[in-house]
Amino acid sequence: MKKYMPFITLGFFLIFPMLGVSTYVMHIFILLLMWTTIGMSWNLLSGYCGQVSFGHAAFFGIGAYTSGILYSKLSMSPWLGLPLSVFTVGILSFIIGLAVLRLRGPFFALATLASGEVFRVTAENMEWLTSGTLGIMLQQRLWVSKLPYYYIILSITVAVFLLMKYLLSTKLGYYFVAIREDQDAAESLGINTTLYKTIALIVSAVVTGIAGAFYMNYMGYIDPHIVFALHDISIITIMIVMVGGVATQWGPFIGAVIMVLLQEVVRSIPGLGAMHQAIFGGLLIFIIIFLPNGIVGDFKKIKRFFGLRSA
Amino acid sequence: MLEVKNVSKYFGGLAAVSDVSFSVKNNEILGIIGPNGAGKTTLFNVINGFYKPSKGEIFLNGVSIGGKKPYQICQAGMARTFQIVKPLRRLSVFDNVVASAFLRAKSKQEAKQIAEEVLKFTELYEDRDTLSKGLPLGKRKRLEIARALATRPKLLLLDESFAGLNPAELDKSIEIIKKIKENGITIMIIEHHMKVIMSISDRIVVLTYGQKIAEGTPEEIRNNPEVVEAYLGGEG
C-alpha cells in the first residue's frame, strides 16, 4: 500500500480538475502545490543540510521580481521570466551564501532573516526598477482559466519532488546530512563543507525562486510586502515543513495541505482578524512539544495515540 | 610520511604548542603522551588543519599542508578521530561510514562496498543498522576509527581512542590498531593509557606545557629521567 501512495497521490492530482470543482477550490490546490514546492526546497537546505533559513522570502521575491521586471521593463512574457529567474536567483543566492554561510546555527538563521529584509527594503526603494511599493501588475494574465496554471505548478512540484529524491540518494545527500549532524566531523572526513552548503543553498534558492516566478504569473500582481514578507513567506515556509516533518520526503506536502487548508478555514471565520497568527503560533508550539519530527516523522506516535497500532 | 617542523600555536599570549618538531616514519605507530593540557589535542588540530600553525611547517609526504583546510588534508590522505566522539548521530552506523567512504568511491555502490569492508574490519558490522547515537561509548570510539578508515588514509590520527573503554573493548581496539598497521597504514596516536601506548607504539613523543621533552622507543621513554619527573611521577 505504502509503495503505491505516490502514484495514488499523483493520479488524484492529475484527474482532480476533471471532477468539476469550483475555481476557488482550484485556487486552493494551486497554492497547496506551490507551497509544497517551497517547502521541499527549504527542507533540502534546512532539513537535510541543517542550515536553518529564515529568509526564503528573499529567493521567492527575487524570482517573482525577475519575472515581473522583465515583463514591466522589457515587455517580456512572464513565462520567459520564469526560466530566467533561475539565473538571477542562482547568482544572488550565491552572493548571499558568501556572506551567510560563514555563520553557523542561530547566527546563520539570523543572517538569512536579515537578508530577506534587505531585499524587501531594496525592492521598496529602487523605484526606477521595481516601482517601489506600488508593485508590478500584469496587464493581462495569459489564461483566464486556472487549469493551465494548475498543471504547470503540478509539473513543477512533481519535478522538484523527483529532483530532491534523486539528490538525496546520491553522495550529495549523504554529505548534506553529514554537515547537518556535525560540521567539524564532516570537514575532517574530507567534505568541503563550504562547497556543499553553497550547493544546497543555491538549489534550494532556485527552486523557491521558480515558485516565486510562478506566483507572479499566477497572481498577476506583486509588491515588496507580499513577496518579501517575513511572516507570510519565510515563516510559513518553516511552519509547513515543521508541521509536516523536517527532513522527510512527504513532510512538505503534508505540511502544505494542513497549513493551506488551515489558513483558508481561519480566514473564513469572520471577526477573527489577526487572531490567525496566534492560532498558527499555538499550533507550532504544540508541534514542537508533542511532535518534534512533524506529522510524517512522528507518524508512529500519532498512530499509537489513536490506538491504531498495526503491530 | 609526516614531518612537523618547529610548529607553534598561540592562543592570544598562551603557547599551547611551542616549537615542536618530529617526524613520523612510514608504517610506524607513533605515540604522543603528556599530562593533561600538554597540547596534544591542539597539536592534532594543527596537523589536521582545524587550526593554522602560528609558526612552523608541516609536510605530508613532502607536500606542505600547514594552513590547509581539514577536508583538503583528508583528501591528501590523513584521517583523524576525535577525543570527544562526533558520530553523525541521526544516521545509522552504516550510513556514517558510507558518508565518509564517498571521498574515494566513484559510485554509491562502491561507497557501500567500502563501508561494508571497513565495518567488518572494525567488527561493527552487526551494529550497522543501529542509529549511531544509540551506540555505547566503546563502539562509538570504534565507529570513529571506522569512519576515518573509510576515507582510505595513509596516515591515521587517533585521539584517545582507548579512553573510557572496558578491558574487553580495550583488547579489541588494540587488536584492530595492530591490524590497521599490518595493512600498511601509518598511525599517530594520543593516549593516556600507559600500558596501551607502551605496548603498541614503535616510538613515543612526550609533550609537556606545549614543548617536546623527549622522543624515543617505549623503553627509552620509560627510562628517561626527565619524562619520569614530568609525567610518570614516582612510578618509573
Side-chain angles (χ1 to χ4, degrees):
Chain A
M1 182 66 194
K2 216 176 165 186
K3 218 169 115 188
Y4 299 114
M5 264 325 265
F7 300 106
I8 294 170
T9 313
L10 179 63
F12 170 74
F13 273 92
L14 279 174
I15 59 164
F16 167 77
M18 293 158 202
L19 303 176
V21 291
S22 68
T23 47
Y24 172 68
V25 176
M26 283 293 284
H27 172 69
I28 302 295
F29 269 68
I30 290 172
L31 286 186
L32 190 159
L33 289 168
M34 186 188 84
W35 280 112
T36 305
T37 307
I38 300 171
M40 286 189 291
S41 82
W42 186 87
N43 202 21
L44 181 78
L45 176 68
S46 305
Y48 289 99
C49 197
Q51 311 300 310
V52 178
S53 158
F54 277 72
H56 261 52
F59 312 128
F60 186 79
I62 295 167
Y65 263 97
T66 306
S67 170
I69 290 167
L70 287 175
Y71 166 78
S72 69
K73 298 293 172 197
L74 302 172
S75 354
M76 214 183 252
S77 155
W79 288 117
L80 263 173
L82 194 141
L84 286 174
S85 70
V86 168
F87 294 100
T88 40
V89 177
I91 292 163
L92 285 170
S93 64
F94 176 73
I95 295 169
I96 296 174
L98 286 183
V100 299
L101 284 174
R102 291 156 192 272
L103 304 165
R104 290 191 185 188
F107 304 103
F108 174 84
L110 286 173
T112 54
L113 190 149
S115 69
E117 291 295 281
V118 165
F119 278 97
R120 182 174 59 78
V121 176
T122 310
E124 276 171 22
N125 287 289
M126 285 172 70
E127 285 178 12
W128 56 273
L129 188 66
T130 62
S131 314
T133 43
L134 275 179
I136 295 172
M137 190 143 125
L138 292 185
Q139 301 299 325
Q140 202 174 15
R141 291 201 319 176
L142 204 49
W143 298 294
V144 179
S145 157
K146 293 201 184 294
L147 207 60
Y149 294 103
Y150 176 82
Y151 281 112
I152 288 170
I153 192 68
L154 180 62
S155 12
I156 292 175
T157 309
V158 171
V160 171
F161 183 88
L162 294 176
L163 173 76
M164 296 296 163
K165 199 178 156 121
Y166 169 73
L167 279 185
L168 291 167
S169 72
T170 62
K171 172 170 140 176
L172 279 180
Y174 281 89
Y175 278 13
F176 290 160
V177 175
I179 291 168
R180 173 187 78 196
E181 293 297 314
D182 197 309
Q183 208 169 306
D184 286 336
E187 182 89 9
S188 74
L189 295 173
I191 300 172
N192 182 347
T193 53
T194 316
L195 172 69
Y196 289 100
K197 282 196 292 186
T198 310
I199 293 175
L201 176 71
I202 292 177
V203 173
S204 177
V206 163
V207 170
T208 302
I210 290 174
F214 171 82
Y215 181 87
M216 169 72 210
N217 282 286
Y218 174 60
M219 298 303 273
Y221 173 74
I222 49 169
D223 76 32
H225 285 277
I226 296 175
V227 295
F228 286 114
L230 174 63
H231 51 276
D232 281 340
I233 308 283
S234 294
I235 303 292
I236 295 293
T237 306
I238 299 173
M239 277 205 66
I240 283 173
V241 187
M242 291 279 297
V243 169
V246 174
T248 58
Q249 214 165 38
W250 287 90
F253 174 69
I254 303 289
V257 170
I258 290 169
M259 289 302 292
V260 171
L261 292 184
L262 194 66
Q263 222 163 358
E264 289 306 311
V265 169
V266 168
R267 198 173 289 163
S268 65
I269 302 171
L272 212 54
M275 260 291 279
H276 72 278
Q277 302 219 352
I279 293 173
F280 286 172
L283 175 69
L284 191 59
I285 292 171
F286 174 84
I287 291 278
I288 289 171
I289 294 176
F290 296 105
L291 303 169
N293 299 315
I295 289 170
V296 176
D298 281 329
F299 196 61
K300 279 196 188 119
K301 228 188 220 175
I302 299 171
K303 270 207 271 191
R304 215 178 306 138
F305 182 79
F306 288 107
L308 289 166
R309 199 177 308 180
S310 54
Chain B
M1 169 69 54
L2 182 79
E3 207 176 336
V4 176
K5 268 189 186 164
N6 307 98
V7 164
S8 301
K9 176 69 196 170
Y10 306 111
F11 293 110
L14 180 83
V17 174
S18 70
D19 204 24
V20 170
S21 302
F22 62 88
S23 60
V24 188
K25 289 174 203 146
N26 255 335
N27 204 21
E28 73 170 347
I29 297 182
L30 179 81
I32 296 194
I33 59 171
N36 285 325
K40 304 181 296 287
T41 297
T42 306
L43 180 66
F44 260 32
N45 283 338
V46 171
I47 294 175
N48 147 269
F50 273 120
Y51 301 147
K52 270 191 183 142
S54 309
K55 269 186 202 160
E57 281 185 289
I58 304 164
F59 296 93
L60 180 66
N61 285 325
V63 182
S64 169
I65 55 164
K68 281 207 179 150
K69 295 254 174 70
Y71 75 88
Q72 293 168 321
I73 291 175
C74 182
Q75 282 162 5
M78 183 198 298
R80 75 168 292 180
T81 68
F82 290 91
Q83 178 181 8
I84 298 153
V85 290
K86 294 177 182 288
L88 310 175
R89 297 167 47 96
R90 279 173 289 181
L91 285 189
S92 70
V93 167
F94 188 68
D95 285 343
N96 258 275
V97 184
V98 171
S100 59
F102 268 117
L103 182 68
R104 307 277 181 226
K106 285 185 186 61
S107 66
K108 191 173 172 179
Q109 211 179 356
E110 196 187 339
K112 285 187 169 172
Q113 221 171 343
I114 296 176
E116 232 167 79
E117 256 168 57
V118 168
L119 284 177
K120 279 177 186 155
F121 183 81
T122 50
E123 294 174 43
L124 282 170
Y125 194 67
E126 263 100 81
D127 298 295
R128 63 187 179 280
D129 294 327
T130 318
L131 281 189
S132 62
K133 65 176 173 186
L135 280 184
L137 181 72
K139 285 182 178 170
R140 266 194 259 178
K141 292 241 167 189
R142 243 188 293 150
L143 176 59
E144 289 266 313
I145 298 177
R147 238 173 28 178
L149 283 178
T151 67
R152 299 261 191 242
K154 291 174 217 131
L155 173 64
L156 183 61
L157 270 55
L158 301 173
D159 194 349
E160 298 209 16
S161 294
F162 297 105
L165 301 191
N166 67 37
E169 291 171 330
L170 210 60
D171 287 342
K172 196 168 259 175
S173 286
I174 291 176
E175 201 186 306
I176 289 169
I177 303 246
K178 283 184 175 159
K179 271 201 301 191
I180 295 173
K181 189 191 166 181
E182 280 165 25
N183 283 342
I185 296 170
T186 312
I187 297 172
M188 211 173 127
I189 179 167
I190 294 179
E191 194 47 65
H192 271 305
H193 205 289
M194 272 307 137
K195 240 203 245 158
V196 174
I197 201 104
M198 290 294 173
S199 70
I200 64 172
S201 303
D202 296 309
R203 285 186 314 128
I204 293 176
V205 165
V206 188
L207 291 182
T208 313
Y209 298 114
Q211 281 165 324
K212 185 175 93 170
I213 57 166
E215 183 177 352
T217 64
E219 200 52 40
E220 286 163 9
I221 294 297
R222 201 174 285 147
N223 300 320
N224 183 321
E226 221 180 322
V227 175
V228 173
E229 191 192 314
Y231 188 58
L232 298 174
E235 286 171 9

